[in-house]
Structure formats: structure tokens, C-alpha cells
Amino acid sequence: MSNRLNEVPLLPTERVDDLLTHHLHIIQSDEVFSFSMDAVLLARFASVPPRGRVLDLCTGNGVIPLLLTTRTAAAIEGIEIQPRLADMARRSVAMNGLQERITIHEGDLRTLHLTAGYGVYDAITVNPPYMPLNGSDLKLNTHQAMARHEIGCTLEEVIQACVRLVRTGGKVSMVHKPQRLVDIISLMRKYRLEPKTIRFVHPRANLEANMVLIEAARDGKPEVRLQPPLIVYTDDNEYCPEILDIYYGTKEVQS
């Protein structure tokens, strides 16, 4: 790994961060995008087949595909609309020697089915932009604004892409804000994705949830399970044991 770390070129503002599990590393830059806990939780929560094809939408710098390699031998793909982020993801894949496991596409998830085909993936993960485009907070640079706001795609377009690309019975896993849960469930059912598992993430046990993990099955039967809440911090401001297990790759989020 040390040789590959030295061989992969970095831009002046980029750094290499340790993913804390399986000796994985990732290229990041505060100028464009840095992953956060939501991506790690999604990568551990999502149901993925032991083999087959898995797709990560809105892949950013590729953190979710990298983490998914620790859980499955499936072929993993990611698609990212921003050229610089797609390039960072590809270099991170190369830095980890995972070119035969992960393919990063630069493109628009809304049209991926035109080249990839319909129903070709066994599982899809997505950590989409959370905020509707309303002009209230667009002072960020273009990269950061697109990561946070529905500029390149809306929630409905993300769900439409998922149902086009996942096979019947395949799983779609998403992390989002609880404030959008009604929208998510309504749109999933509109496009034949049946919510099956929901888990709320709380910063502390006495605080309301600030993330929600949701998994749906294409053309599934109506039945949803609400998992126990996932608590991030203890009263002493330390990570809870389950969070530590998730970060270090020894435990999956219940699904």
C-alpha cells in the first residue's frame, strides 16, 4: 500500500485520509468534498449480495464503493456527475489497488440506464444531496453546493434512476434527513420501491434523529421493519461502541 500511496498523484489541496478499516485510504480535499459519517453508516447498513453487481449513485469521491469492497466480492460501480470528484474517486480506487473490483463512471445518474441497461444491478446505494434547491444556502462553491443541494438531481429523479437500474427484488439503500422521510417513502412507493427497513440515527440518546437509513426492495410486498435507534455519542461525548464497531469494520448496521 505504501508504494501505491506514493505513486498516485495528488493535486495541491488534496490529502490522503485513512478509512480506519482494511488498510483503505481515500483522497480528499476541503475544496470540493469530504465524506462524513452518513456515508460510512450507509456502507455498513446496505444489503449487498455476496456476488453480482452493486451500484453507488452520487458516489462523490468514492468512499462507499471502497467500503463496500470489505463486505462483498460483487463488482461495484459508482457514478458521479462532477468530473473532479469522479477523478478523485478513480485515483482512490487505484491507490487501494481495487481497479478490478470498482469502476467509477463520470456521468448523469438520470441517463445511466441508457448505456447500462434496465434492471442490471442487484443492489444500489445512494447518499444523495439532502437539501431542495431553494436558493437559501448557495454561497458554497459549486462542488460543495452540488453535494448538498438538489442541483444535479432531485430526490424524485434519484428514486426514478434506482427503479430503472435495480432488478426486481433488488435492494435500494439510502441515507437522508428524517425531515424528508415522508417524501422518500411516498416517492419510493410511487415508483415501485417498497420500503422494508428503516433505522434512525441520533446524535445522543436524548436528542431527535438527524439521519435516517432506509432500504427498499423493488416490487416488494408491503411490510416495513423499524430497527432500534442508532446512538452516536455517549453522555461522556465518546463514540458509542456500535459506532466504533461500524467505523472499524467489525460490525454492520442492522438491516
Side-chain angles (χ1 to χ4, degrees), residues 26-48:
I26 189 167
I27 297 169
Q28 301 217 92
S29 170
D30 292 334
E31 278 190 349
V32 291
F33 177 85
S34 292
F35 77 89
S36 55
M37 180 178 288
D38 48 6
V40 179
L41 297 183
L42 179 62
R44 298 299 176 200
F45 169 81
S47 292
V48 289

Side-chain angles (χ1 to χ4, degrees), residues 14 21 27 62 91 100 118 141 149 213 217 225 240:
E14 293 177 344
T21 185
I27 297 169
R91 284 183 285 130
E100 294 184 2
Y118 287 84
N141 69 43
H149 295 267
L213 297 157
R225 294 183 301 154
C240 288

Side-chain angles (χ1 to χ4, degrees), residues 93-151:
V93 169
M95 182 172 58
N96 288 282
L98 292 170
Q99 299 96 316
E100 294 184 2
R101 299 280 314 280
I102 300 173
T103 301
I104 301 296
H105 305 285
E106 179 189 320
D108 192 327
L109 61 83
R110 295 171 294 188
T111 57
L112 180 59
H113 63 284
L114 298 177
T115 52
Y118 287 84
V120 295
Y121 295 99
D122 299 290
I124 293 176
T125 56
V126 58
N127 180 6
Y130 292 154
M131 308 297 293
L133 186 59
N134 55 23
S136 63
D137 185 23
L138 295 181
K139 297 179 182 178
L140 305 166
N141 69 43
T142 300
H143 302 291
Q144 293 169 335
M146 290 189 72
R148 298 181 187 182
H149 295 267
E150 294 180 346
I151 297 171

